[in-house]
C-alpha cells in the first residue's frame, strides 16, 4: 500500500455552492436598482398632487375675480379628477383638502366652501368613476346629482349669510318662465306652486347634466393626450366629434 493511497480524498467542489454568492450578488444589485425607483414615487406623488391642487384653486380664483364665462368653469373638477386617475383615492382627497385650505387663506372660508362643495367632491367622484371605467351615463348622473346638491347647499349657505331666502328669488324667476311658456302655448291656467317648484328642480338638474356632459367631453379630449384616458363615450358622441381613438 502506497502513501498516496492512504491520503484522504479531497472534497469535490460543488458548483452550486460557488454559484450561490454570484446569484446573491445579482439579486442584491436588482434590489438596489429597484429601491430608488420606489422611493421616487412618493415625492412625485406629493409634487403632482400639490401642483394640480394649486391649479384647481387658481382656476377658481381667476374665474371668481375675472370671470371669462363658462370656459374656466368647465375645468373646476378636472385637476382633482386627474390626481385620482394618476395616484388614487388618497391623493385625490388630499388634493381636495389642499384646495379648500388654500382658497380659505386666499379668499376666506365661505368662498372656499363654495368650491369644495360641489366641485372638489365632484373631482373625486369623477376620478373614481373614470378609474373604474364606469359608462358616461353613470358618471354624468352621479355628478349631476352632486352638482344639484351643491346648488342647494349654496342657496342655503348664502341665504343664512344674507338673512334672505334666495329660494324665493329662484322660484320667482321660474314662475316668470312658466307663465311665459303657458302664454306661448295658449294655456289659460295659472301654474301651481308645486309645479313651479318641480320646474325649478328640473331646471337645476338639467343644467348640471349639461355641465357634466361638457366636462366629460373636455376630460376625454384632454386626458387622452396626457396618457390618462377615461371611459370611451357613446358611439354617437364619437361620430359627432369625428374622433378616432
Amino acid at each position: 500500500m502506497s502513501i498516496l493511497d492512504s491520503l484522504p480524498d479531497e472534497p469535490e467542489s460543488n458548483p452550486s455552492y460557488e454559484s450561490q454568492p454570484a446569484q446573491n450578488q445579482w439579486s442584491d444589485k436588482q434590489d438596489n436598482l429597484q429601491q430608488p425607483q420606489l422611493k421616487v414615487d412618493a415625492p412625485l406623488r406629493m409634487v403632482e398632487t400639490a401642483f394640480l391642487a394649486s391649479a384647481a384653486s387658481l382656476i377658481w380664483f381667476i374665474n371668481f375675480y375675472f370671470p371669462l364665462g363658462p370656459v374656466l368653469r368647465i375645468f373646476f373638477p378636472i385637476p382633482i379628477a386627474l390626481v385620482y386617475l394618476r395616484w388614487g383615492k388618497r391623493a385625490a382627497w388630499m388634493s381636495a383638502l389642499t384646495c379648500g385650505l388654500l382658497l380659505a387663506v386666499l379668499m376666506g372660508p365661505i368662498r372656499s366652501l363654495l368650491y369644495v362643495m360641489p366641485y372638489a367632491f365632484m373631482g373625486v367622484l369623477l376620478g373614481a368613476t373614470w378609474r373604474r371605467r364606469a359608462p358616461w351615463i353613470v358618471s354624468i348622473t352621479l355628478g349631476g346629482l352632486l352638482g344639484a346638491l351643491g346648488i342647494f347647499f349654496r342657496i342655503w349657505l348664502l341665504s343664512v349669510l344674507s338673512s334672505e331666502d334666495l329660494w324665493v328669488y329662484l322660484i320667482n324667476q321660474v314662475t316668470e318662465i312658466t307663465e311665459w311658456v303657458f302664454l306661448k302655448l295658449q294655456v289659460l291656467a295659472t301654474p301651481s306652486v308645486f309645479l313651479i317648484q318641480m320646474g325649478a328642480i328640473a331646471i337645476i338638474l338639467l343644467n348640471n347634466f349639461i355641465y357634466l356632459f361638457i366636462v366629460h367631453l373636455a376630460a376625454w379630449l384632454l386626458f387622452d393626450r396626457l396618457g390618462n384616458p377615461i371611459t370611451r363615450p357613446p358611439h354617437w358622441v364619437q361620430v359627432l366629434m369625428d374622433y378616432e381613438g
Side-chain angles (χ1 to χ4, degrees):
M1 182 181 206
S2 63
I3 298 175
L4 296 175
D5 295 335
S6 63
L7 291 176
D9 297 334
E10 294 181 359
E12 297 181 356
S13 61
N14 191 351
S16 62
Y17 290 103
E18 294 178 356
S19 61
Q20 285 182 358
Q23 293 177 356
N24 293 333
Q25 292 178 0
W26 176 252
S27 61
D28 292 340
K29 290 180 179 179
Q30 286 182 339
D31 293 339
N32 292 331
L33 291 175
Q34 291 176 358
Q35 286 177 0
Q37 184 178 1
L38 295 176
K39 292 180 180 179
V40 170
D41 290 344
L44 182 60
R45 181 188 301 112
M46 181 178 62
V47 170
E48 286 195 3
T49 301
F51 176 78
L52 291 172
S54 301
S57 303
L58 184 62
I59 292 172
W60 173 262
F61 182 85
I62 294 175
N63 186 79
F64 190 88
Y65 290 105
F66 308 100
L68 301 176
V71 177
L72 290 179
R73 188 168 177 261
I74 298 172
F75 297 95
F76 285 167
I78 284 182
I80 298 178
L82 181 59
V83 172
Y84 200 113
L85 290 176
R86 291 182 62 84
W87 299 109
K89 177 175 64 176
R90 184 175 181 273
W93 283 113
M94 291 299 296
S95 179
L97 179 62
T98 303
C99 286
L101 295 176
L102 183 58
L103 290 174
V105 173
L106 294 176
M107 307 174 65
I110 303 301
R111 293 170 183 172
S112 174
L113 285 176
L114 295 180
Y115 174 78
V116 173
M117 181 62 187
Y119 297 109
F121 292 156
M122 188 181 295
V124 177
L125 176 63
L126 293 178
T129 54
W130 290 339
R131 191 165 187 176
R132 290 167 175 79
R133 300 301 176 187
W136 277 32
I137 185 63
V138 175
S139 55
I140 289 176
T141 302
L142 294 177
L145 294 176
L146 180 60
L149 290 177
I151 290 179
F152 293 137
F153 173 78
R154 175 177 297 184
I155 292 174
W156 170 79
L157 181 63
L158 296 179
S159 298
V160 171
L161 295 176
S162 62
S163 301
E164 296 181 1
D165 192 357
L166 298 181
W167 179 253
V168 174
Y169 174 78
L170 178 62
I171 291 298
N172 292 333
Q173 299 297 320
V174 176
T175 302
E176 294 180 0
I177 296 174
T178 306
E179 291 178 350
W180 179 82
V181 172
F182 276 28
L183 181 62
K184 291 299 180 180
L185 296 177
Q186 297 181 356
V187 177
L188 300 178
T190 302
S192 62
V193 177
F194 176 77
L195 180 62
I196 293 173
Q197 290 181 348
M198 291 298 101
I201 296 174
I203 291 175
I204 291 174
L205 290 175
L206 180 62
N207 182 39
N208 281 277
F209 287 155
I210 295 174
Y211 170 72
L212 263 297
F213 179 74
I214 298 175
V215 169
H216 276 65
L217 286 179
W220 171 43
L221 299 175
L222 178 62
F223 288 177
D224 274 0
R225 289 158 176 77
L226 295 178
N228 298 100
I230 66 172
T231 312
R232 300 295 90 186
H235 180 68
W236 66 269
V237 177
Q238 299 186 38
V239 173
L240 183 65
M241 299 295 293
D242 192 16
Y243 183 87
E244 295 180 359

